[in-house]
Amino acid sequence: MQIIDIKKDKLHLMKICLSDGSEFLIDKDVCYEKCLKKGVEIENIEDLVFESDYKRAKSRAVWYLDRNDHTEKALFDKLVRAGFSKQACAKVIARYVEVGLLDDRRYAKNYAERLMEANVSKREAVQKMLTKGVAYDLAKEVLSETETDEQTQIKNLLEKKYRTKLGAQNGAQKVFAALVRKGFSYSAVREALKSYIEEFEEDYV
């Protein structure tokens, strides 16, 4: 098929009109690289569209990664939602893993450390990491390697979030239940809560 017209479209795209009446959009740089212009015969339209999609997906992926680190799954899903083909997105992910721009283990370790600093229990942290695209086994492995003191986490939460609630009616029971729901073990919550109340016993008399 022959190109009968080629003109600028939105953003960085060119609209190519073919002799069979079909139209498609191609990245402007790809047009220049392939010397596409009026009168040129095109044989492999699918390959051309894929190359354009891949080029644009790579550029968008860099834009995302400049702002925040991502897991492979999260970046893939984000690119697909942006309108790029799954095949092009998969190729982008594979390339950026190869050059080190994407590293799920690195992401998981950094995120795990932030969660521990925010006093998130390891059980809850696993769930949060899954929502970011970290594989379950990797999340469990990284968290097992992350140093944290559950007692200290609970005491920090008691001080920052639950101190005033302890003075309410059945406050200790309600705070106990809330901390267990956050994924902390019964024994750790019981010990930390007992220690905290004894330390500030006059406030709850």
Side-chain angles (χ1 to χ4, degrees):
M1 284 171 286
Q2 188 179 72
I3 298 176
I4 61 173
D5 193 20
I6 183 168
K7 54 190 174 183
K8 289 184 179 180
D9 198 82
K10 57 185 178 181
L11 299 177
H12 206 254
L13 296 170
M14 302 290 287
K15 179 181 286 187
I16 295 180
C17 306
L18 298 179
S19 54
D20 66 351
S22 62
E23 299 178 347
F24 58 97
L25 298 174
I26 294 292
D27 181 82
K28 184 169 63 176
D29 289 342
V30 173
C31 286
Y32 294 150
E33 291 167 6
K34 301 296 182 181
C35 300
L36 300 180
K37 57 185 178 180
K38 193 172 180 178
V40 170
E41 292 285 341
I42 295 181
E43 296 180 359
N44 298 314
I45 298 174
E46 293 80 7
D47 292 345
L48 198 59
V49 171
F50 176 80
E51 185 173 347
S52 173
D53 212 30
Y54 172 60
K55 189 178 188 69
R56 293 174 58 232
K58 278 202 307 180
S59 178
R60 180 67 66 88
V62 169
W63 189 83
Y64 288 144
L65 290 170
D66 277 345
R67 283 149 184 78
N68 289 296
D69 197 8
H70 290 69
T71 59
E72 295 174 34
K73 182 180 184 305
L75 184 59
F76 176 85
D77 290 344
K78 204 163 187 176
L79 290 171
V80 170
R81 288 196 300 272
F84 303 107
S85 70
K86 290 183 178 180
Q87 294 81 1
C89 295
K91 185 176 179 180
V92 170
I93 298 303
R95 175 56 180 163
Y96 285 171
V97 168
E98 181 183 2
V99 300
L101 286 177
L102 282 173
D103 186 328
D104 278 7
R105 176 172 291 278
R106 179 186 66 210
Y107 179 95
K109 289 180 68 174
N110 291 337
Y111 190 40
E113 289 175 1
R114 294 200 303 272
L115 290 172
M116 294 304 99
E117 290 173 0
N119 302 308
V120 174
S121 71
K122 288 191 174 183
R123 187 179 303 173
E124 185 179 4
V126 170
Q127 299 306 313
K128 287 183 176 293
M129 292 173 77
L130 291 177
T131 66
K132 297 292 187 179
V134 178
Y136 178 80
D137 289 344
L138 178 58
K140 293 284 288 185
E141 180 184 341
V142 167
L143 284 167
S144 70
E145 299 169 353
T146 304
E147 293 185 9
T148 186
D149 184 336
E150 196 175 35
Q151 291 280 327
T152 299
Q153 283 186 302
I154 296 170
K155 288 181 179 180
N156 288 338
L157 287 172
L158 289 171
E159 180 65 29
K160 296 176 181 179
K161 188 174 181 179
Y162 295 107
R163 183 170 184 174
T164 58
K165 296 180 181 180
L166 286 172
Q169 185 176 7
N170 298 320
Q173 293 92 323
K174 292 179 180 178
V175 169
F176 181 93
L179 290 168
V180 169
R181 286 196 298 271
K182 283 186 168 293
F184 294 105
S185 66
Y186 284 87
S187 58
V189 174
R190 183 170 55 250
E191 290 301 316
L193 196 55
K194 178 182 178 182
S195 174
Y196 189 82
I197 290 177
E198 288 177 352
E199 183 178 354
F200 299 98
E201 185 173 5
E202 68 278 4
D203 294 339
Y204 307 111
V205 174

Coordinates of all heavy atoms in Angstrom, one line a residue, residues 121-205:
S121 N 3.0 -3.0 60.7 CA 3.4 -4.3 61.0 C 3.8 -5.1 59.8 O 3.4 -4.7 58.7 CB 2.2 -5.1 61.7 OG 1.2 -5.3 60.7
K122 N 4.6 -6.1 60.0 CA 5.1 -6.9 58.8 C 3.9 -7.6 58.1 O 3.9 -7.7 56.9 CB 6.1 -7.9 59.3 CG 7.4 -7.3 59.6 CD 8.5 -8.3 59.8 CE 9.9 -7.6 60.0 NZ 11.0 -8.6 60.1
R123 N 2.9 -8.0 58.8 CA 1.7 -8.6 58.2 C 1.0 -7.6 57.3 O 0.6 -8.0 56.2 CB 0.8 -9.2 59.3 CG -0.4 -10.0 58.7 CD -1.2 -10.5 59.8 NE -0.5 -11.3 60.7 CZ -1.0 -11.8 61.9 NH1 -2.2 -11.5 62.2 NH2 -0.3 -12.5 62.7
E124 N 0.8 -6.4 57.8 CA 0.1 -5.4 57.0 C 1.0 -4.9 55.8 O 0.6 -4.6 54.7 CB -0.3 -4.2 57.8 CG -1.1 -3.2 57.1 CD -1.5 -2.0 58.0 OE1 -1.1 -1.9 59.1 OE2 -2.2 -1.1 57.4
A125 N 2.3 -4.9 56.1 CA 3.3 -4.5 55.1 C 3.3 -5.4 53.9 O 3.4 -5.0 52.7 CB 4.7 -4.5 55.7
V126 N 3.1 -6.7 54.1 CA 3.0 -7.7 53.0 C 1.8 -7.2 52.1 O 2.0 -7.2 50.8 CB 2.8 -9.1 53.5 CG1 2.4 -10.0 52.3 CG2 4.0 -9.6 54.2
Q127 N 0.7 -6.9 52.7 CA -0.5 -6.6 51.9 C -0.2 -5.3 51.1 O -0.6 -5.1 49.9 CB -1.7 -6.4 52.8 CG -2.1 -7.7 53.5 CD -2.3 -8.9 52.5 OE1 -3.0 -8.7 51.5 NE2 -1.7 -10.0 52.9
K128 N 0.4 -4.3 51.7 CA 0.7 -3.0 51.1 C 1.7 -3.3 49.9 O 1.5 -2.6 48.8 CB 1.3 -2.0 52.1 CG 0.2 -1.5 53.0 CD 0.9 -0.4 54.0 CE -0.2 0.2 54.9 NZ -1.1 1.0 54.1
M129 N 2.6 -4.1 50.1 CA 3.6 -4.4 49.1 C 3.0 -5.1 47.9 O 3.3 -4.9 46.7 CB 4.8 -5.2 49.6 CG 5.6 -4.4 50.6 SD 6.9 -5.3 51.5 CE 8.1 -5.4 50.2
L130 N 2.0 -6.0 48.1 CA 1.3 -6.7 47.1 C 0.6 -5.7 46.2 O 0.5 -5.8 45.0 CB 0.3 -7.7 47.6 CG 0.9 -8.9 48.3 CD1 -0.2 -9.8 48.9 CD2 1.8 -9.7 47.4
T131 N 0.0 -4.7 46.8 CA -0.7 -3.7 46.0 C 0.2 -2.9 45.1 O -0.3 -2.2 44.1 CB -1.5 -2.7 46.9 OG1 -0.6 -1.9 47.7 CG2 -2.5 -3.5 47.8
K132 N 1.5 -2.8 45.4 CA 2.5 -2.1 44.6 C 3.1 -3.0 43.5 O 3.9 -2.5 42.8 CB 3.6 -1.6 45.5 CG 3.1 -0.5 46.5 CD 2.7 0.7 45.9 CE 2.4 1.8 46.9 NZ 1.9 3.1 46.3
G133 N 2.6 -4.3 43.5 CA 3.1 -5.1 42.5 C 4.3 -6.0 42.9 O 4.9 -6.7 42.1
V134 N 4.6 -6.0 44.2 CA 5.7 -6.9 44.7 C 5.2 -8.3 44.8 O 4.1 -8.5 45.4 CB 6.3 -6.4 46.0 CG1 7.3 -7.3 46.6 CG2 6.8 -5.0 45.9
A135 N 5.8 -9.3 44.3 CA 5.4 -10.7 44.5 C 5.4 -11.1 45.9 O 6.2 -10.6 46.7 CB 6.3 -11.6 43.7
Y136 N 4.4 -12.0 46.3 CA 4.2 -12.4 47.7 C 5.5 -12.9 48.3 O 5.9 -12.5 49.4 CB 3.1 -13.4 47.8 CG 2.9 -13.9 49.2 CD1 2.1 -13.2 50.1 CD2 3.4 -15.1 49.6 CE1 1.9 -13.6 51.4 CE2 3.2 -15.6 50.9 CZ 2.4 -14.9 51.8 OH 2.2 -15.3 53.0
D137 N 6.1 -13.9 47.6 CA 7.3 -14.5 48.1 C 8.5 -13.5 48.3 O 9.2 -13.6 49.3 CB 7.8 -15.6 47.2 CG 6.9 -16.8 47.2 OD1 6.1 -16.9 48.2 OD2 7.0 -17.7 46.3
L138 N 8.6 -12.6 47.4 CA 9.6 -11.5 47.5 C 9.3 -10.6 48.7 O 10.2 -10.2 49.4 CB 9.7 -10.7 46.2 CG 10.8 -9.6 46.2 CD1 12.2 -10.1 46.5 CD2 10.8 -8.9 44.9
A139 N 8.1 -10.3 48.9 CA 7.7 -9.4 50.0 C 8.0 -10.1 51.3 O 8.6 -9.4 52.2 CB 6.2 -9.1 49.9
K140 N 7.7 -11.3 51.4 CA 8.0 -12.1 52.7 C 9.5 -12.2 52.9 O 9.9 -12.0 54.1 CB 7.3 -13.5 52.6 CG 5.8 -13.5 52.6 CD 5.2 -13.2 53.9 CE 5.4 -14.4 54.9 NZ 4.7 -14.2 56.2
E141 N 10.2 -12.5 51.9 CA 11.7 -12.6 52.0 C 12.3 -11.3 52.4 O 13.1 -11.3 53.3 CB 12.2 -13.1 50.7 CG 13.7 -13.3 50.7 CD 14.3 -13.7 49.3 OE1 13.5 -14.1 48.5 OE2 15.5 -13.5 49.1
V142 N 12.0 -10.2 51.8 CA 12.6 -8.9 52.1 C 12.2 -8.5 53.5 O 13.1 -8.0 54.2 CB 12.1 -7.9 51.0 CG1 12.5 -6.5 51.5 CG2 12.8 -8.1 49.7
L143 N 11.0 -8.7 53.9 CA 10.5 -8.3 55.2 C 11.2 -9.1 56.3 O 11.5 -8.6 57.4 CB 9.0 -8.4 55.3 CG 8.2 -7.3 54.7 CD1 6.7 -7.7 54.6 CD2 8.4 -6.0 55.4
S144 N 11.5 -10.4 56.0 CA 12.2 -11.2 57.0 C 13.6 -10.7 57.2 O 14.3 -11.0 58.2 CB 12.2 -12.7 56.5 OG 13.1 -12.8 55.4
E145 N 14.2 -10.0 56.2 CA 15.5 -9.5 56.3 C 15.6 -8.1 56.8 O 16.7 -7.6 57.1 CB 16.2 -9.5 54.8 CG 16.3 -10.9 54.2 CD 16.7 -10.8 52.7 OE1 16.7 -9.7 52.2 OE2 16.9 -11.9 52.1
T146 N 14.4 -7.5 57.0 CA 14.4 -6.1 57.4 C 14.3 -6.1 59.0 O 13.4 -6.6 59.6 CB 13.1 -5.4 56.9 OG1 13.1 -5.5 55.5 CG2 13.1 -3.9 57.3
E147 N 15.2 -5.4 59.6 CA 15.3 -5.3 61.0 C 14.2 -4.4 61.5 O 14.0 -3.2 61.1 CB 16.7 -4.8 61.5 CG 17.8 -5.8 61.2 CD 19.1 -5.3 61.8 OE1 19.1 -4.3 62.5 OE2 20.1 -5.9 61.5
T148 N 13.5 -4.9 62.5 CA 12.5 -4.0 63.2 C 12.2 -4.6 64.6 O 12.4 -5.8 64.8 CB 11.2 -4.0 62.3 OG1 10.3 -3.1 62.9 CG2 10.5 -5.4 62.3
D149 N 11.7 -3.8 65.4 CA 11.3 -4.2 66.8 C 9.8 -3.9 66.9 O 9.3 -2.8 67.0 CB 12.1 -3.3 67.8 CG 11.8 -3.8 69.2 OD1 10.7 -4.3 69.5 OD2 12.6 -3.5 70.1
E150 N 9.0 -5.0 66.9 CA 7.6 -4.9 67.0 C 7.1 -4.2 68.2 O 6.2 -3.4 68.2 CB 7.0 -6.3 66.9 CG 5.5 -6.3 66.6 CD 4.9 -7.7 66.4 OE1 5.4 -8.6 67.2 OE2 4.0 -7.9 65.6
Q151 N 7.8 -4.4 69.3 CA 7.4 -3.7 70.6 C 7.6 -2.2 70.4 O 6.7 -1.4 70.8 CB 8.3 -4.2 71.7 CG 8.0 -5.6 72.2 CD 6.8 -5.7 73.1 OE1 6.5 -4.8 73.8 NE2 6.0 -6.8 72.9
T152 N 8.7 -1.8 69.8 CA 8.9 -0.4 69.6 C 7.9 0.2 68.7 O 7.4 1.4 68.9 CB 10.3 -0.1 69.1 OG1 11.3 -0.6 70.0 CG2 10.6 1.4 68.8
Q153 N 7.6 -0.5 67.6 CA 6.5 0.0 66.7 C 5.2 0.2 67.4 O 4.6 1.3 67.2 CB 6.3 -1.0 65.6 CG 7.4 -1.0 64.5 CD 7.0 -2.0 63.4 OE1 6.8 -3.2 63.6 NE2 7.0 -1.5 62.2
I154 N 4.8 -0.7 68.2 CA 3.5 -0.6 68.9 C 3.6 0.6 69.9 O 2.6 1.4 70.0 CB 3.2 -1.9 69.6 CG1 3.0 -3.0 68.6 CG2 2.0 -1.7 70.5 CD1 2.9 -4.4 69.3
K155 N 4.6 0.7 70.6 CA 4.7 1.8 71.6 C 4.7 3.2 70.8 O 4.1 4.1 71.3 CB 6.0 1.7 72.4 CG 5.9 0.6 73.4 CD 7.2 0.5 74.2 CE 7.1 -0.7 75.3 NZ 8.3 -0.8 76.1
N156 N 5.3 3.2 69.7 CA 5.3 4.5 68.9 C 3.9 4.8 68.5 O 3.4 6.0 68.5 CB 6.2 4.3 67.6 CG 7.6 4.4 68.0 OD1 8.1 4.9 69.0 ND2 8.5 3.8 67.1
L157 N 3.1 3.8 68.1 CA 1.7 4.0 67.7 C 0.9 4.4 68.9 O 0.0 5.2 68.8 CB 1.2 2.7 67.0 CG 1.7 2.4 65.6 CD1 1.2 1.0 65.2 CD2 1.2 3.4 64.6
L158 N 1.1 3.8 70.0 CA 0.4 4.2 71.2 C 0.6 5.6 71.6 O -0.3 6.3 71.9 CB 0.8 3.3 72.4 CG 0.4 1.8 72.3 CD1 1.1 1.0 73.4 CD2 -1.1 1.7 72.5
E159 N 1.8 6.1 71.4 CA 2.2 7.4 71.7 C 1.6 8.4 70.7 O 1.1 9.5 71.1 CB 3.7 7.6 71.8 CG 4.2 9.0 72.2 CD 3.7 9.4 73.6 OE1 3.6 8.6 74.5 OE2 3.5 10.6 73.8
K160 N 1.7 8.1 69.5 CA 1.3 9.0 68.4 C -0.1 9.0 68.1 O -0.7 10.0 67.7 CB 2.1 8.7 67.1 CG 3.6 9.0 67.3 CD 4.4 8.6 66.0 CE 5.9 8.8 66.2 NZ 6.6 8.4 64.9
K161 N -0.8 7.8 68.2 CA -2.1 7.7 67.7 C -3.2 7.3 68.7 O -4.3 7.7 68.6 CB -2.1 6.7 66.5 CG -3.4 6.5 65.8 CD -3.2 5.6 64.6 CE -4.5 5.5 63.8 NZ -4.4 4.6 62.6
Y162 N -2.8 6.5 69.7 CA -3.8 5.9 70.5 C -3.8 6.4 72.0 O -4.6 5.9 72.8 CB -3.6 4.4 70.5 CG -3.9 3.8 69.2 CD1 -2.9 3.3 68.4 CD2 -5.2 3.7 68.7 CE1 -3.1 2.7 67.2 CE2 -5.5 3.1 67.5 CZ -4.4 2.6 66.7 OH -4.7 2.0 65.5
R163 N -2.9 7.3 72.3 CA -2.7 7.6 73.8 C -4.0 8.2 74.3 O -4.5 7.8 75.4 CB -1.6 8.7 73.9 CG -1.4 9.0 75.4 CD -0.1 9.8 75.5 NE 0.2 10.1 76.9 CZ 1.2 10.7 77.4 NH1 2.2 11.1 76.6 NH2 1.4 10.9 78.7
T164 N -4.7 9.1 73.6 CA -5.9 9.7 74.1 C -7.0 8.7 74.2 O -7.9 8.8 75.0 CB -6.3 10.9 73.3 OG1 -6.5 10.5 71.9 CG2 -5.3 12.0 73.4
K165 N -7.0 7.7 73.3 CA -8.1 6.7 73.2 C -8.0 5.8 74.4 O -9.1 5.2 74.7 CB -8.0 6.0 71.9 CG -8.3 6.9 70.7 CD -8.2 6.1 69.4 CE -8.4 7.0 68.2 NZ -8.3 6.3 66.9
L166 N -6.9 5.6 75.0 CA -6.7 4.7 76.1 C -7.5 5.2 77.3 O -8.0 4.4 78.1 CB -5.3 4.5 76.5 CG -4.4 3.7 75.6 CD1 -2.9 3.8 76.0 CD2 -4.8 2.2 75.6
G167 N -7.8 6.5 77.4 CA -8.5 7.0 78.6 C -10.0 6.9 78.4 O -10.7 7.2 79.4
A168 N -10.5 6.5 77.2 CA -11.9 6.4 77.0 C -12.4 5.1 77.7 O -11.7 4.2 78.1 CB -12.2 6.4 75.5
Q169 N -13.8 5.0 77.7 CA -14.4 3.8 78.3 C -14.0 2.6 77.4 O -14.1 2.6 76.2 CB -15.9 3.9 78.3 CG -16.6 2.8 79.0 CD -18.1 3.0 79.1 OE1 -18.6 3.9 78.5 NE2 -18.8 2.1 79.8
N170 N -13.5 1.5 78.1 CA -13.0 0.3 77.4 C -11.9 0.7 76.4 O -11.7 0.0 75.4 CB -14.1 -0.4 76.7 CG -15.2 -0.9 77.6 OD1 -15.0 -1.3 78.7 ND2 -16.5 -0.7 77.2
G171 N -11.2 1.7 76.7 CA -10.1 2.2 75.8 C -9.1 1.2 75.5 O -8.7 1.0 74.4
A172 N -8.6 0.5 76.5 CA -7.5 -0.4 76.4 C -7.9 -1.6 75.5 O -7.2 -2.0 74.6 CB -7.0 -1.0 77.7
Q173 N -9.1 -2.1 75.7 CA -9.6 -3.2 74.9 C -9.8 -2.8 73.4 O -9.4 -3.5 72.5 CB -11.0 -3.7 75.4 CG -10.9 -4.3 76.8 CD -11.2 -3.3 77.9 OE1 -10.8 -2.2 77.8 NE2 -11.9 -3.8 78.9
K174 N -10.3 -1.6 73.2 CA -10.5 -1.1 71.8 C -9.1 -0.9 71.1 O -9.0 -1.2 69.9 CB -11.3 0.2 71.8 CG -12.7 0.0 72.3 CD -13.5 1.3 72.3 CE -14.9 1.1 72.7 NZ -15.7 2.4 72.8
V175 N -8.2 -0.3 71.9 CA -6.8 -0.1 71.3 C -6.2 -1.4 71.0 O -5.5 -1.6 69.9 CB -6.0 0.8 72.2 CG1 -4.5 0.8 71.7 CG2 -6.5 2.2 72.3
F176 N -6.3 -2.4 71.9 CA -5.8 -3.7 71.7 C -6.3 -4.3 70.4 O -5.5 -4.8 69.6 CB -6.2 -4.6 72.9 CG -5.6 -6.0 72.8 CD1 -4.4 -6.4 73.4 CD2 -6.3 -7.0 72.1 CE1 -3.9 -7.6 73.3 CE2 -5.8 -8.3 72.0 CZ -4.6 -8.6 72.6
A177 N -7.6 -4.2 70.2 CA -8.3 -4.8 69.0 C -7.8 -4.1 67.7 O -7.5 -4.7 66.7 CB -9.8 -4.7 69.1
A178 N -7.6 -2.8 67.8 CA -7.2 -2.0 66.7 C -5.8 -2.4 66.3 O -5.5 -2.5 65.1 CB -7.2 -0.5 67.0
L179 N -4.9 -2.6 67.2 CA -3.5 -3.0 66.9 C -3.4 -4.4 66.4 O -2.6 -4.6 65.5 CB -2.6 -2.8 68.2 CG -2.4 -1.4 68.6 CD1 -1.8 -1.3 70.0 CD2 -1.5 -0.7 67.6
V180 N -4.2 -5.3 66.9 CA -4.2 -6.6 66.3 C -4.7 -6.6 64.9 O -4.2 -7.3 64.0 CB -5.1 -7.5 67.2 CG1 -5.3 -8.9 66.5 CG2 -4.5 -7.8 68.6
R181 N -5.7 -5.8 64.6 CA -6.2 -5.7 63.2 C -5.2 -5.2 62.3 O -5.2 -5.4 61.1 CB -7.5 -4.8 63.2 CG -8.7 -5.4 63.7 CD -10.0 -4.7 63.3 NE -10.0 -3.3 63.8 CZ -10.5 -2.9 64.9 NH1 -11.0 -3.8 65.8 NH2 -10.4 -1.6 65.3
K182 N -4.2 -4.4 62.8 CA -3.1 -3.9 62.0 C -2.0 -4.9 61.8 O -1.1 -4.6 61.1 CB -2.5 -2.6 62.7 CG -3.4 -1.4 62.5 CD -2.7 -0.2 63.1 CE -3.4 1.1 62.7 NZ -3.3 1.4 61.2
G183 N -2.2 -6.1 62.3 CA -1.3 -7.2 62.0 C -0.3 -7.5 63.1 O 0.6 -8.4 62.9
F184 N -0.3 -6.8 64.2 CA 0.6 -7.1 65.2 C 0.2 -8.3 66.0 O -1.0 -8.6 66.1 CB 0.8 -5.9 66.2 CG 1.4 -4.7 65.5 CD1 0.6 -3.6 65.2 CD2 2.8 -4.7 65.3 CE1 1.2 -2.5 64.6 CE2 3.3 -3.6 64.7 CZ 2.5 -2.5 64.3
S185 N 1.1 -9.1 66.5 CA 0.7 -10.3 67.3 C 0.1 -10.0 68.6 O 0.3 -9.0 69.2 CB 2.0 -11.2 67.5 OG 2.9 -10.5 68.4
Y186 N -0.8 -10.9 69.1 CA -1.5 -10.7 70.3 C -0.5 -10.5 71.5 O -0.7 -9.6 72.3 CB -2.3 -12.0 70.6 CG -3.6 -12.1 69.8 CD1 -3.6 -12.7 68.6 CD2 -4.8 -11.5 70.3 CE1 -4.8 -12.7 67.9 CE2 -6.0 -11.6 69.6 CZ -6.0 -12.2 68.4 OH -7.1 -12.3 67.6
S187 N 0.5 -11.4 71.5 CA 1.5 -11.3 72.6 C 2.2 -10.0 72.6 O 2.4 -9.3 73.7 CB 2.5 -12.5 72.5 OG 3.2 -12.4 71.3
A188 N 2.6 -9.5 71.4 CA 3.4 -8.2 71.3 C 2.5 -7.1 71.8 O 3.0 -6.2 72.5 CB 3.9 -8.0 69.9
V189 N 1.3 -7.1 71.3 CA 0.4 -6.0 71.7 C 0.1 -6.0 73.2 O 0.1 -4.9 73.8 CB -1.0 -6.1 70.9 CG1 -2.0 -5.1 71.4 CG2 -0.7 -5.9 69.4
R190 N -0.2 -7.2 73.7 CA -0.4 -7.3 75.1 C 0.7 -6.8 76.0 O 0.5 -6.0 76.9 CB -0.7 -8.8 75.5 CG -1.1 -9.0 77.0 CD -1.6 -10.4 77.2 NE -0.7 -11.4 76.8 CZ -0.8 -12.2 75.8 NH1 -2.0 -12.1 75.0 NH2 0.1 -13.1 75.4
E191 N 1.9 -7.2 75.6 CA 3.1 -6.8 76.4 C 3.3 -5.2 76.3 O 3.6 -4.6 77.3 CB 4.3 -7.5 76.0 CG 4.3 -9.0 76.4 CD 4.2 -9.2 77.9 OE1 4.9 -8.5 78.6 OE2 3.4 -10.1 78.3
A192 N 3.3 -4.7 75.1 CA 3.5 -3.3 74.8 C 2.4 -2.5 75.5 O 2.8 -1.4 76.1 CB 3.5 -3.0 73.3
L193 N 1.2 -2.9 75.4 CA 0.1 -2.1 76.0 C 0.2 -2.1 77.5 O 0.1 -1.1 78.2 CB -1.2 -2.8 75.6 CG -2.5 -1.9 75.8 CD1 -2.4 -0.6 75.1 CD2 -3.7 -2.7 75.2
K194 N 0.5 -3.3 78.1 CA 0.7 -3.4 79.6 C 1.9 -2.5 80.0 O 1.7 -1.7 81.0 CB 1.0 -4.8 79.9 CG 1.2 -5.0 81.4 CD 1.6 -6.5 81.7 CE 1.9 -6.7 83.2 NZ 2.3 -8.1 83.5
S195 N 3.0 -2.5 79.3 CA 4.1 -1.7 79.7 C 3.8 -0.2 79.6 O 4.2 0.6 80.4 CB 5.3 -2.1 78.8 OG 6.4 -1.2 79.0
Y196 N 3.1 0.1 78.5 CA 2.8 1.5 78.3 C 1.9 2.1 79.3 O 2.1 3.2 79.9 CB 2.2 1.7 76.9 CG 2.0 3.2 76.5 CD1 3.1 3.9 75.9 CD2 0.8 3.8 76.6 CE1 3.0 5.2 75.5 CE2 0.7 5.2 76.2 CZ 1.8 5.8 75.7 OH 1.6 7.1 75.3
I197 N 0.8 1.3 79.7 CA -0.1 1.8 80.7 C 0.5 1.9 82.0 O 0.3 2.8 82.8 CB -1.3 0.8 80.7 CG1 -2.1 1.0 79.4 CG2 -2.2 1.1 81.9 CD1 -3.3 0.0 79.3
E198 N 1.4 1.0 82.4 CA 2.1 1.0 83.6 C 3.0 2.2 83.7 O 3.2 2.9 84.8 CB 2.9 -0.3 83.8 CG 2.1 -1.5 84.1 CD 2.9 -2.8 84.2 OE1 4.1 -2.7 83.9 OE2 2.3 -3.8 84.7
E199 N 3.7 2.6 82.6 CA 4.6 3.7 82.6 C 3.8 5.0 82.8 O 4.3 5.9 83.4 CB 5.3 3.7 81.2 CG 6.3 4.9 81.1 CD 7.1 4.8 79.8 OE1 6.9 3.9 79.0 OE2 7.9 5.8 79.5
F200 N 2.6 5.1 82.2 CA 1.8 6.3 82.4 C 0.5 6.1 83.2 O -0.5 6.6 82.9 CB 1.4 6.9 81.0 CG 2.6 7.2 80.1 CD1 3.1 6.3 79.2 CD2 3.3 8.4 80.3 CE1 4.2 6.7 78.4 CE2 4.4 8.8 79.6 CZ 4.9 7.9 78.6
E201 N 0.7 5.2 84.2 CA -0.5 4.8 84.9 C -1.3 5.9 85.5 O -2.5 5.9 85.5 CB 0.0 3.9 86.1 CG -1.2 3.2 86.9 CD -0.6 2.2 87.9 OE1 0.6 2.1 88.1 OE2 -1.5 1.6 88.5
E202 N -0.7 7.0 85.9 CA -1.5 8.1 86.5 C -2.4 8.8 85.5 O -3.4 9.3 85.9 CB -0.5 9.2 87.1 CG 0.3 9.9 86.0 CD 1.6 9.2 85.6 OE1 1.7 8.0 86.0 OE2 2.3 9.7 84.8
D203 N -2.1 8.6 84.2 CA -3.0 9.2 83.2 C -4.3 8.4 83.0 O -5.2 9.0 82.4 CB -2.2 9.3 81.8 CG -1.1 10.2 81.9 OD1 -1.0 11.1 82.8 OD2 -0.2 10.1 81.0
Y204 N -4.3 7.2 83.4 CA -5.4 6.3 83.2 C -6.1 5.9 84.4 O -6.9 5.0 84.4 CB -5.0 5.1 82.3 CG -4.2 5.5 81.1 CD1 -2.9 5.3 81.0 CD2 -4.8 6.2 80.1 CE1 -2.2 5.7 79.9 CE2 -4.1 6.6 79.0 CZ -2.8 6.3 78.9 OH -2.1 6.8 77.8
V205 N -5.8 6.6 85.5 CA -6.5 6.2 86.8 C -7.8 7.0 86.9 O -7.8 8.2 86.7 CB -5.5 6.6 88.0 CG1 -6.3 6.4 89.3 CG2 -4.3 5.7 87.9

